[in-house]
Amino acid sequence: MPESELPEDVLSEAERLTRLARDAVDPDEAEAYRSARDDVVGEYEFRARHREEDDVLVLHPDEWVDDDGIVDPAEIDDVDRGIERPLSGTGEDHEWSAVEEHNAACVAAVAEEHGAAHAANARAFADFLGNHYVRRIETAGAPEVLEFVEEYYPRNAWPTAEQRSLLPESLELLFDAADAEVPEYN
């Protein structure tokens, strides 16, 4: 597979902002996330859109787009320059190890700075997100956090009373370690 014209950190940020826009309740907030995403990829002369029917982020070079904002097939020189990134689903097995390595580093940071109870909660969320969605901590949206808090955590994490009482704070610490904010899930 050819190397993308967009650096991996730019792709990850575009995915994160697209998920935040997708999950936002307030239309102005969603537009702000889309605008930030467009600025990030625009620096590389790319355009982004969310194909809602299959929940995929689609990115393509500006030169493929005509004045009306429509991709002109005559301008496509190499289809491999286009990028599609699924925003949900289980992902590929080879992606899981990279996701797990990243999420484990975030959990380790929580453990080192905040102790075992917070680390156990962080590990439970990392396991949930990695095993069920093959996603990095910072890419989780409100639906995934809500599913974790309401369904997965009570049934699968076997938390102590202390861990249960610390869960909201633990999620804040974990997202901080991933340099992101916890999406509003209540």
Side-chain angles (χ1 to χ4, degrees):
M1 182 174 176
E3 189 172 317
S4 169
E5 293 175 47
L6 293 173
E8 186 57 39
D9 62 327
V10 171
L11 288 169
S12 294
E13 181 65 1
E15 284 182 54
R16 185 182 77 80
L17 291 166
T18 303
R19 283 190 186 94
L20 289 169
R22 173 195 67 191
D23 297 339
V25 176
D26 178 359
D28 292 334
E29 180 184 10
E31 183 52 39
Y33 288 130
R34 282 191 292 272
S35 178
R37 176 201 63 205
D38 293 346
D39 290 346
V40 167
V41 300
E43 290 182 29
Y44 293 86
E45 298 179 355
F46 265 71
R47 299 214 186 167
R49 72 179 177 89
H50 177 212
R51 193 170 61 215
E52 293 180 20
E53 58 268 17
D54 57 355
D55 201 24
V56 170
L57 171 62
V58 178
L59 302 133
H60 49 265
D62 281 339
E63 68 236 33
W64 292 5
V65 183
D66 66 19
D67 293 337
D68 297 321
I70 298 169
V71 172
D72 180 357
E75 294 297 324
I76 299 174
D77 54 342
D78 178 3
V79 293
D80 289 336
R81 292 180 66 205
I83 302 164
E84 292 191 357
R85 301 282 288 244
L87 297 174
S88 59
T90 58
E92 299 290 329
D93 286 342
H94 69 276
E95 292 177 36
W96 183 88
S97 58
V99 167
E100 172 54 25
E101 183 178 327
H102 171 80
N103 290 352
C106 295
V107 171
V110 170
E112 185 176 316
E113 293 183 34
H114 305 286
H118 284 300
N121 284 340
R123 181 72 257 171
F125 185 72
D127 287 345
F128 164 76
L129 201 60
N131 293 334
H132 292 271
Y133 293 99
V134 191
R135 297 207 6 215
R136 294 172 180 248
I137 301 300
E138 63 274 17
T139 67
E144 292 83 20
V145 177
L146 187 62
E147 180 183 356
F148 170 76
V149 169
E150 291 186 350
E151 297 175 29
Y152 181 91
Y153 187 75
R155 294 184 185 140
N156 300 296
W158 299 86
T160 64
E162 178 189 17
Q163 289 167 345
R164 273 194 303 278
S165 71
L166 292 173
L167 182 60
E169 184 183 353
S170 298
L171 290 172
E172 290 279 345
L173 296 171
L174 180 61
F175 274 79
D176 283 349
D179 199 27
E181 292 183 23
V182 179
E184 285 192 36
Y185 60 92
N186 292 342

Tab-separated table of all heavy atoms in Angstrom, residues 25-74:
chain	number	residue	atom	x	y	z
A	25	VAL	N	-24.200	16.879	19.807
A	25	VAL	CA	-25.645	17.110	19.852
A	25	VAL	C	-25.971	18.495	19.287
A	25	VAL	O	-26.934	18.661	18.552
A	25	VAL	CB	-26.163	16.985	21.310
A	25	VAL	CG1	-27.643	17.309	21.398
A	25	VAL	CG2	-25.896	15.587	21.844
A	26	ASP	N	-25.134	19.452	19.615
A	26	ASP	CA	-25.325	20.842	19.189
A	26	ASP	C	-24.799	21.019	17.757
A	26	ASP	O	-23.630	20.742	17.475
A	26	ASP	CB	-24.565	21.756	20.153
A	26	ASP	CG	-24.646	23.229	19.793
A	26	ASP	OD1	-25.274	23.577	18.777
A	26	ASP	OD2	-24.076	24.041	20.549
A	27	PRO	N	-25.639	21.469	16.815
A	27	PRO	CA	-25.193	21.647	15.429
A	27	PRO	C	-24.011	22.611	15.293
A	27	PRO	O	-23.140	22.422	14.449
A	27	PRO	CB	-26.416	22.192	14.701
A	27	PRO	CG	-27.580	21.901	15.580
A	27	PRO	CD	-27.065	21.774	16.974
A	28	ASP	N	-23.958	23.652	16.140
A	28	ASP	CA	-22.839	24.596	16.080
A	28	ASP	C	-21.540	23.924	16.514
A	28	ASP	O	-20.479	24.177	15.941
A	28	ASP	CB	-23.109	25.821	16.956
A	28	ASP	CG	-24.242	26.682	16.413
A	28	ASP	OD1	-24.493	26.643	15.185
A	28	ASP	OD2	-24.884	27.387	17.218
A	29	GLU	N	-21.629	23.074	17.524
A	29	GLU	CA	-20.451	22.333	17.982
A	29	GLU	C	-19.977	21.382	16.879
A	29	GLU	O	-18.778	21.298	16.590
A	29	GLU	CB	-20.795	21.542	19.250
A	29	GLU	CG	-19.644	20.738	19.808
A	29	GLU	CD	-20.031	19.897	21.010
A	29	GLU	OE1	-21.243	19.766	21.321
A	29	GLU	OE2	-19.119	19.334	21.632
A	30	ALA	N	-20.907	20.687	16.241
A	30	ALA	CA	-20.554	19.770	15.150
A	30	ALA	C	-19.859	20.534	14.024
A	30	ALA	O	-18.836	20.082	13.488
A	30	ALA	CB	-21.802	19.057	14.630
A	31	GLU	N	-20.388	21.713	13.689
A	31	GLU	CA	-19.785	22.520	12.627
A	31	GLU	C	-18.390	22.991	13.020
A	31	GLU	O	-17.478	23.024	12.186
A	31	GLU	CB	-20.678	23.713	12.280
A	31	GLU	CG	-20.153	24.558	11.141
A	31	GLU	CD	-19.810	23.769	9.877
A	31	GLU	OE1	-20.548	22.831	9.513
A	31	GLU	OE2	-18.790	24.093	9.243
A	32	ALA	N	-18.191	23.319	14.281
A	32	ALA	CA	-16.866	23.750	14.746
A	32	ALA	C	-15.851	22.619	14.591
A	32	ALA	O	-14.710	22.849	14.160
A	32	ALA	CB	-16.939	24.215	16.197
A	33	TYR	N	-16.258	21.394	14.914
A	33	TYR	CA	-15.364	20.240	14.746
A	33	TYR	C	-15.062	19.993	13.262
A	33	TYR	O	-13.921	19.727	12.893
A	33	TYR	CB	-15.956	18.978	15.366
A	33	TYR	CG	-15.959	18.972	16.880
A	33	TYR	CD1	-17.119	18.661	17.579
A	33	TYR	CD2	-14.809	19.242	17.610
A	33	TYR	CE1	-17.129	18.635	18.969
A	33	TYR	CE2	-14.816	19.222	18.993
A	33	TYR	CZ	-15.974	18.919	19.673
A	33	TYR	OH	-15.979	18.891	21.038
A	34	ARG	N	-16.081	20.090	12.418
A	34	ARG	CA	-15.851	19.891	10.974
A	34	ARG	C	-14.907	20.966	10.427
A	34	ARG	O	-14.020	20.681	9.631
A	34	ARG	CB	-17.179	19.895	10.207
A	34	ARG	CG	-17.954	18.594	10.331
A	34	ARG	CD	-19.118	18.535	9.362
A	34	ARG	NE	-20.155	19.494	9.691
A	34	ARG	CZ	-21.158	19.262	10.533
A	34	ARG	NH1	-21.277	18.084	11.128
A	34	ARG	NH2	-22.062	20.185	10.770
A	35	SER	N	-15.100	22.199	10.872
A	35	SER	CA	-14.246	23.300	10.422
A	35	SER	C	-12.796	23.081	10.865
A	35	SER	O	-11.862	23.282	10.075
A	35	SER	CB	-14.786	24.621	10.977
A	35	SER	OG	-13.959	25.687	10.600
A	36	ALA	N	-12.609	22.644	12.106
A	36	ALA	CA	-11.253	22.363	12.599
A	36	ALA	C	-10.628	21.231	11.789
A	36	ALA	O	-9.446	21.287	11.425
A	36	ALA	CB	-11.301	22.011	14.087
A	37	ARG	N	-11.414	20.196	11.479
A	37	ARG	CA	-10.918	19.084	10.669
A	37	ARG	C	-10.514	19.572	9.281
A	37	ARG	O	-9.451	19.233	8.771
A	37	ARG	CB	-11.993	18.006	10.544
A	37	ARG	CG	-11.580	16.850	9.619
A	37	ARG	CD	-12.746	16.072	9.092
A	37	ARG	NE	-13.621	16.885	8.272
A	37	ARG	CZ	-14.914	16.617	8.087
A	37	ARG	NH1	-15.474	15.573	8.666
A	37	ARG	NH2	-15.654	17.389	7.323
A	38	ASP	N	-11.355	20.401	8.679
A	38	ASP	CA	-11.065	20.911	7.345
A	38	ASP	C	-9.783	21.751	7.345
A	38	ASP	O	-8.998	21.696	6.393
A	38	ASP	CB	-12.242	21.718	6.813
A	38	ASP	CG	-13.475	20.845	6.565
A	38	ASP	OD1	-13.345	19.599	6.554
A	38	ASP	OD2	-14.569	21.417	6.402
A	39	ASP	N	-9.555	22.509	8.413
A	39	ASP	CA	-8.320	23.294	8.528
A	39	ASP	C	-7.103	22.375	8.621
A	39	ASP	O	-6.075	22.636	7.984
A	39	ASP	CB	-8.364	24.207	9.755
A	39	ASP	CG	-9.352	25.351	9.610
A	39	ASP	OD1	-9.816	25.617	8.476
A	39	ASP	OD2	-9.674	25.974	10.644
A	40	VAL	N	-7.215	21.297	9.400
A	40	VAL	CA	-6.089	20.364	9.593
A	40	VAL	C	-5.695	19.717	8.266
A	40	VAL	O	-4.516	19.695	7.909
A	40	VAL	CB	-6.451	19.286	10.646
A	40	VAL	CG1	-5.456	18.146	10.642
A	40	VAL	CG2	-6.536	19.909	12.032
A	41	VAL	N	-6.668	19.194	7.521
A	41	VAL	CA	-6.329	18.522	6.253
A	41	VAL	C	-6.083	19.528	5.131
A	41	VAL	O	-5.349	19.234	4.187
A	41	VAL	CB	-7.375	17.459	5.839
A	41	VAL	CG1	-7.496	16.390	6.904
A	41	VAL	CG2	-8.718	18.073	5.514
A	42	GLY	N	-6.681	20.720	5.253
A	42	GLY	CA	-6.494	21.753	4.254
A	42	GLY	C	-5.047	22.211	4.143
A	42	GLY	O	-4.591	22.623	3.071
A	43	GLU	N	-4.306	22.129	5.245
A	43	GLU	CA	-2.886	22.489	5.214
A	43	GLU	C	-2.104	21.601	4.244
A	43	GLU	O	-1.034	21.983	3.775
A	43	GLU	CB	-2.284	22.379	6.612
A	43	GLU	CG	-2.766	23.434	7.569
A	43	GLU	CD	-2.122	23.322	8.930
A	43	GLU	OE1	-0.976	22.843	9.025
A	43	GLU	OE2	-2.782	23.719	9.914
A	44	TYR	N	-2.623	20.428	3.954
A	44	TYR	CA	-1.977	19.487	3.030
A	44	TYR	C	-2.698	19.450	1.680
A	44	TYR	O	-2.485	18.547	0.886
A	44	TYR	CB	-1.935	18.088	3.659
A	44	TYR	CG	-1.017	18.053	4.855
A	44	TYR	CD1	-1.485	18.416	6.113
A	44	TYR	CD2	0.320	17.703	4.723
A	44	TYR	CE1	-0.637	18.425	7.209
A	44	TYR	CE2	1.169	17.702	5.807
A	44	TYR	CZ	0.688	18.066	7.057
A	44	TYR	OH	1.530	18.077	8.134
A	45	GLU	N	-3.571	20.446	1.451
A	45	GLU	CA	-4.348	20.560	0.220
A	45	GLU	C	-5.217	19.331	-0.020
A	45	GLU	O	-5.279	18.785	-1.117
A	45	GLU	CB	-3.422	20.863	-0.967
A	45	GLU	CG	-2.698	22.186	-0.806
A	45	GLU	CD	-1.764	22.516	-1.951
A	45	GLU	OE1	-1.576	21.682	-2.862
A	45	GLU	OE2	-1.224	23.639	-1.926
A	46	PHE	N	-5.886	18.905	1.060
A	46	PHE	CA	-6.843	17.800	1.004
A	46	PHE	C	-8.194	18.300	1.486
A	46	PHE	O	-8.296	19.310	2.172
A	46	PHE	CB	-6.384	16.643	1.902
A	46	PHE	CG	-5.612	15.586	1.169
A	46	PHE	CD1	-4.329	15.834	0.705
A	46	PHE	CD2	-6.167	14.334	0.942
A	46	PHE	CE1	-3.614	14.864	0.025
A	46	PHE	CE2	-5.459	13.358	0.260
A	46	PHE	CZ	-4.181	13.617	-0.196
A	47	ARG	N	-9.215	17.573	1.105
A	47	ARG	CA	-10.579	17.824	1.577
A	47	ARG	C	-11.078	16.587	2.296
A	47	ARG	O	-10.686	15.466	1.952
A	47	ARG	CB	-11.507	18.132	0.417
A	47	ARG	CG	-11.075	19.368	-0.320
A	47	ARG	CD	-12.225	20.130	-0.839
A	47	ARG	NE	-11.729	21.240	-1.652
A	47	ARG	CZ	-12.483	21.937	-2.435
A	47	ARG	NH1	-13.762	21.645	-2.544
A	47	ARG	NH2	-11.977	22.934	-3.117
A	48	ALA	N	-11.966	16.805	3.260
A	48	ALA	CA	-12.506	15.693	4.048
A	48	ALA	C	-14.021	15.760	4.047
A	48	ALA	O	-14.611	16.836	3.993
A	48	ALA	CB	-11.987	15.765	5.480
A	49	ARG	N	-14.625	14.577	4.119
A	49	ARG	CA	-16.077	14.498	4.325
A	49	ARG	C	-16.382	13.206	5.057
A	49	ARG	O	-15.619	12.241	5.010
A	49	ARG	CB	-16.848	14.595	3.017
A	49	ARG	CG	-16.763	13.384	2.131
A	49	ARG	CD	-17.599	13.576	0.853
A	49	ARG	NE	-17.448	12.448	-0.025
A	49	ARG	CZ	-18.201	11.350	0.012
A	49	ARG	NH1	-19.178	11.243	0.891
A	49	ARG	NH2	-17.986	10.357	-0.831
A	50	HIS	N	-17.516	13.204	5.736
A	50	HIS	CA	-17.976	12.027	6.464
A	50	HIS	C	-19.056	11.351	5.620
A	50	HIS	O	-20.112	11.931	5.374
A	50	HIS	CB	-18.542	12.449	7.826
A	50	HIS	CG	-19.099	11.321	8.618
A	50	HIS	ND1	-20.163	11.480	9.466
A	50	HIS	CD2	-18.754	10.016	8.705
A	50	HIS	CE1	-20.446	10.321	10.042
A	50	HIS	NE2	-19.598	9.420	9.594
A	51	ARG	N	-18.756	10.140	5.133
A	51	ARG	CA	-19.757	9.373	4.389
A	51	ARG	C	-20.578	8.633	5.432
A	51	ARG	O	-20.167	7.606	5.959
A	51	ARG	CB	-19.065	8.421	3.409
A	51	ARG	CG	-20.017	7.825	2.402
A	51	ARG	CD	-19.291	7.081	1.306
A	51	ARG	NE	-18.531	5.975	1.867
A	51	ARG	CZ	-17.348	5.551	1.413
A	51	ARG	NH1	-16.762	6.151	0.399
A	51	ARG	NH2	-16.751	4.528	1.970
A	52	GLU	N	-21.755	9.177	5.737
A	52	GLU	CA	-22.566	8.696	6.857
A	52	GLU	C	-23.123	7.296	6.654
A	52	GLU	O	-23.268	6.548	7.619
A	52	GLU	CB	-23.703	9.682	7.139
A	52	GLU	CG	-23.192	11.009	7.660
A	52	GLU	CD	-24.302	11.998	7.939
A	52	GLU	OE1	-25.460	11.570	8.100
A	52	GLU	OE2	-24.001	13.199	8.000
A	53	GLU	N	-23.434	6.920	5.409
A	53	GLU	CA	-24.087	5.623	5.187
A	53	GLU	C	-23.253	4.437	5.676
A	53	GLU	O	-23.801	3.424	6.088
A	53	GLU	CB	-24.521	5.430	3.739
A	53	GLU	CG	-23.410	5.522	2.715
A	53	GLU	CD	-23.208	6.926	2.153
A	53	GLU	OE1	-23.678	7.912	2.745
A	53	GLU	OE2	-22.559	7.027	1.099
A	54	ASP	N	-21.916	4.565	5.647
A	54	ASP	CA	-21.088	3.478	6.179
A	54	ASP	C	-20.077	3.984	7.206
A	54	ASP	O	-19.154	3.271	7.594
A	54	ASP	CB	-20.389	2.692	5.055
A	54	ASP	CG	-19.531	3.556	4.155
A	54	ASP	OD1	-19.524	4.800	4.319
A	54	ASP	OD2	-18.858	2.996	3.277
A	55	ASP	N	-20.278	5.217	7.704
A	55	ASP	CA	-19.473	5.810	8.780
A	55	ASP	C	-17.989	5.780	8.451
A	55	ASP	O	-17.169	5.228	9.184
A	55	ASP	CB	-19.770	5.110	10.117
A	55	ASP	CG	-19.377	5.971	11.317
A	55	ASP	OD1	-19.318	7.205	11.174
A	55	ASP	OD2	-19.124	5.394	12.393
A	56	VAL	N	-17.641	6.404	7.321
A	56	VAL	CA	-16.258	6.431	6.840
A	56	VAL	C	-15.827	7.877	6.608
A	56	VAL	O	-16.576	8.672	6.042
A	56	VAL	CB	-16.117	5.612	5.536
A	56	VAL	CG1	-14.758	5.807	4.886
A	56	VAL	CG2	-16.381	4.142	5.803
A	57	LEU	N	-14.606	8.200	7.049
A	57	LEU	CA	-13.992	9.481	6.734
A	57	LEU	C	-13.337	9.343	5.367
A	57	LEU	O	-12.537	8.427	5.151
A	57	LEU	CB	-12.941	9.834	7.789
A	57	LEU	CG	-12.062	11.046	7.486
A	57	LEU	CD1	-12.899	12.319	7.387
A	57	LEU	CD2	-10.982	11.189	8.547
A	58	VAL	N	-13.695	10.219	4.447
A	58	VAL	CA	-13.151	10.194	3.087
A	58	VAL	C	-12.305	11.451	2.898
A	58	VAL	O	-12.763	12.555	3.169
A	58	VAL	CB	-14.295	10.169	2.037
A	58	VAL	CG1	-13.731	10.190	0.633
A	58	VAL	CG2	-15.205	8.975	2.252
A	59	LEU	N	-11.064	11.249	2.441
A	59	LEU	CA	-10.150	12.360	2.200
A	59	LEU	C	-9.622	12.270	0.782
A	59	LEU	O	-9.291	11.175	0.317
A	59	LEU	CB	-8.974	12.294	3.184
A	59	LEU	CG	-9.391	12.329	4.654
A	59	LEU	CD1	-8.679	11.258	5.421
A	59	LEU	CD2	-9.108	13.687	5.233
A	60	HIS	N	-9.553	13.407	0.093
A	60	HIS	CA	-9.016	13.400	-1.266
A	60	HIS	C	-8.365	14.749	-1.570
A	60	HIS	O	-8.689	15.764	-0.951
A	60	HIS	CB	-10.094	13.049	-2.300
A	60	HIS	CG	-11.343	13.837	-2.152
A	60	HIS	ND1	-12.419	13.378	-1.455
A	60	HIS	CD2	-11.669	15.075	-2.590
A	60	HIS	CE1	-13.373	14.291	-1.473
A	60	HIS	NE2	-12.946	15.325	-2.151
A	61	PRO	N	-7.433	14.760	-2.530
A	61	PRO	CA	-6.733	15.995	-2.882
A	61	PRO	C	-7.686	17.068	-3.408
A	61	PRO	O	-8.656	16.763	-4.105
A	61	PRO	CB	-5.763	15.555	-3.988
A	61	PRO	CG	-5.613	14.076	-3.815
A	61	PRO	CD	-6.938	13.600	-3.276
A	62	ASP	N	-7.384	18.326	-3.075
A	62	ASP	CA	-8.184	19.464	-3.545
A	62	ASP	C	-8.337	19.469	-5.062
A	62	ASP	O	-9.393	19.816	-5.579
A	62	ASP	CB	-7.522	20.799	-3.143
A	62	ASP	CG	-7.780	21.175	-1.703
A	62	ASP	OD1	-8.750	20.667	-1.114
A	62	ASP	OD2	-7.011	22.000	-1.178
A	63	GLU	N	-7.271	19.102	-5.764
A	63	GLU	CA	-7.301	19.226	-7.235
A	63	GLU	C	-8.336	18.308	-7.878
A	63	GLU	O	-8.657	18.479	-9.042
A	63	GLU	CB	-5.910	19.000	-7.834
A	63	GLU	CG	-5.416	17.579	-7.703
A	63	GLU	CD	-4.071	17.464	-6.992
A	63	GLU	OE1	-3.797	18.268	-6.101
A	63	GLU	OE2	-3.326	16.551	-7.350
A	64	TRP	N	-8.850	17.334	-7.140
A	64	TRP	CA	-9.880	16.453	-7.687
A	64	TRP	C	-11.255	17.117	-7.698
A	64	TRP	O	-12.193	16.605	-8.312
A	64	TRP	CB	-9.994	15.175	-6.871
A	64	TRP	CG	-8.831	14.243	-6.953
A	64	TRP	CD1	-7.634	14.431	-7.594
A	64	TRP	CD2	-8.751	12.946	-6.361
A	64	TRP	NE1	-6.826	13.341	-7.423
A	64	TRP	CE2	-7.486	12.409	-6.668
A	64	TRP	CE3	-9.629	12.184	-5.595
A	64	TRP	CZ2	-7.075	11.156	-6.247
A	64	TRP	CZ3	-9.225	10.935	-5.157
A	64	TRP	CH2	-7.955	10.426	-5.495
A	65	VAL	N	-11.401	18.241	-6.992
A	65	VAL	CA	-12.709	18.857	-6.767
A	65	VAL	C	-12.898	20.061	-7.690
A	65	VAL	O	-12.015	20.917	-7.803
A	65	VAL	CB	-12.839	19.283	-5.292
A	65	VAL	CG1	-14.211	19.867	-5.017
A	65	VAL	CG2	-12.580	18.090	-4.376
A	66	ASP	N	-14.082	20.111	-8.332
A	66	ASP	CA	-14.366	21.247	-9.216
A	66	ASP	C	-14.894	22.437	-8.415
A	66	ASP	O	-15.009	22.383	-7.191
A	66	ASP	CB	-15.333	20.831	-10.338
A	66	ASP	CG	-16.730	20.472	-9.839
A	66	ASP	OD1	-17.122	20.850	-8.711
A	66	ASP	OD2	-17.457	19.802	-10.607
A	67	ASP	N	-15.250	23.510	-9.113
A	67	ASP	CA	-15.701	24.740	-8.461
A	67	ASP	C	-16.997	24.564	-7.674
A	67	ASP	O	-17.297	25.364	-6.790
A	67	ASP	CB	-15.882	25.858	-9.498
A	67	ASP	CG	-14.562	26.281	-10.114
A	67	ASP	OD1	-13.507	26.058	-9.467
A	67	ASP	OD2	-14.582	26.815	-11.242
A	68	ASP	N	-17.779	23.534	-8.021
A	68	ASP	CA	-19.040	23.278	-7.321
A	68	ASP	C	-18.867	22.360	-6.115
A	68	ASP	O	-19.849	21.968	-5.478
A	68	ASP	CB	-20.058	22.658	-8.284
A	68	ASP	CG	-20.412	23.603	-9.415
A	68	ASP	OD1	-20.527	24.828	-9.153
A	68	ASP	OD2	-20.568	23.120	-10.552
A	69	GLY	N	-17.612	21.967	-5.824
A	69	GLY	CA	-17.356	21.105	-4.675
A	69	GLY	C	-17.568	19.629	-4.956
A	69	GLY	O	-17.682	18.830	-4.031
A	70	ILE	N	-17.634	19.250	-6.230
A	70	ILE	CA	-17.884	17.859	-6.621
A	70	ILE	C	-16.600	17.270	-7.199
A	70	ILE	O	-15.893	17.928	-7.963
A	70	ILE	CB	-19.026	17.787	-7.656
A	70	ILE	CG1	-20.314	18.328	-7.023
A	70	ILE	CG2	-19.216	16.368	-8.178
A	70	ILE	CD1	-21.439	18.559	-8.007
A	71	VAL	N	-16.305	16.023	-6.826
A	71	VAL	CA	-15.124	15.361	-7.363
A	71	VAL	C	-15.322	15.130	-8.860
A	71	VAL	O	-16.327	14.568	-9.285
A	71	VAL	CB	-14.850	14.023	-6.633
A	71	VAL	CG1	-13.734	13.251	-7.324
A	71	VAL	CG2	-14.492	14.267	-5.175
A	72	ASP	N	-14.347	15.593	-9.642
A	72	ASP	CA	-14.369	15.441	-11.094
A	72	ASP	C	-13.504	14.230	-11.455
A	72	ASP	O	-12.285	14.278	-11.305
A	72	ASP	CB	-13.819	16.708	-11.746
A	72	ASP	CG	-13.799	16.625	-13.266
A	72	ASP	OD1	-14.152	15.561	-13.836
A	72	ASP	OD2	-13.417	17.641	-13.893
A	73	PRO	N	-14.124	13.142	-11.934
A	73	PRO	CA	-13.349	11.936	-12.252
A	73	PRO	C	-12.190	12.185	-13.216
A	73	PRO	O	-11.173	11.510	-13.155
A	73	PRO	CB	-14.379	10.996	-12.873
A	73	PRO	CG	-15.693	11.460	-12.348
A	73	PRO	CD	-15.556	12.952	-12.176
A	74	ALA	N	-12.314	13.184	-14.088
A	74	ALA	CA	-11.240	13.484	-15.046
A	74	ALA	C	-9.986	14.008	-14.348
A	74	ALA	O	-8.894	13.948	-14.900
A	74	ALA	CB	-11.737	14.497	-16.072
